[in-house]
Amino acid sequence: MTSNDSLQRLAQIIESRKPARGGDPQTSYVARLLHQGPDAFLKKIGEEATETVMAAKDLDRGGDPAKLVGEVADLWFHSLIALAHYGLSPADVIAELERREGTSGIEEKALRKVQARAATEK
């Protein structure tokens, strides 16, 4: 079993909790967030990102590595909810990471800046 399999299974569960597929906001946290709309799950992503940063900084002062792992798991989970809402999946993210594989991060960032500039000039 690969981590991609785990992400895909989780994505399928999230997909099944969409209110349009019968997910009940009264009994499902995922259905509740999706029912409340993007502001709800995007706020959670922001909160989890902040908690991830704080847990990482705590590691520099002897914090518990498990705390960072837990916060990253929460961040990924809420990010998967956003992907599902927008009709995307973990496979889309993995494909993008694979596309970037072997590319210098500095080169990738510079290319994105050029592409953004070209898009605004159109």
Side-chain angles (χ1 to χ4, degrees):
M1 176 182 340
T2 67
S3 56
N4 189 21
D5 294 335
S6 298
L7 288 173
Q8 194 55 42
R9 278 195 313 279
L10 182 54
Q12 289 170 343
I13 292 168
I14 290 169
E15 192 69 30
S16 75
R17 303 283 162 71
K18 285 182 171 180
R21 295 181 184 248
D24 183 359
Q26 298 299 318
T27 60
S28 166
Y29 174 70
V30 171
R32 185 177 317 136
L33 283 177
L34 289 168
H35 177 75
Q36 291 172 343
D39 285 348
F41 57 78
L42 296 175
K43 178 180 176 185
K44 286 301 296 180
I45 290 171
E47 291 171 6
E48 299 304 342
T50 299
E51 291 171 4
T52 298
V53 169
M54 292 173 14
K57 291 185 86 45
D58 285 347
L59 279 179
D60 292 329
R61 295 185 300 277
D64 182 3
K67 178 73 172 161
L68 177 59
V69 170
E71 294 302 342
V72 170
D74 291 344
L75 178 59
W76 286 13
F77 175 76
H78 289 91
S79 295
L80 288 171
I81 293 172
L83 287 172
H85 175 80
Y86 293 110
L88 299 165
S89 74
D92 296 308
V93 177
I94 290 167
E96 176 61 14
L97 291 171
E98 288 171 348
R99 184 191 69 76
R100 295 179 186 184
E101 188 176 352
T103 303
S104 159
I106 294 170
E107 291 172 7
E108 175 71 21
K109 187 173 181 179
L111 177 60
R112 280 186 272 147
K113 283 184 179 180
V114 169
Q115 290 171 335
R117 198 174 313 125
T120 59
E121 291 173 359
K122 289 183 181 180

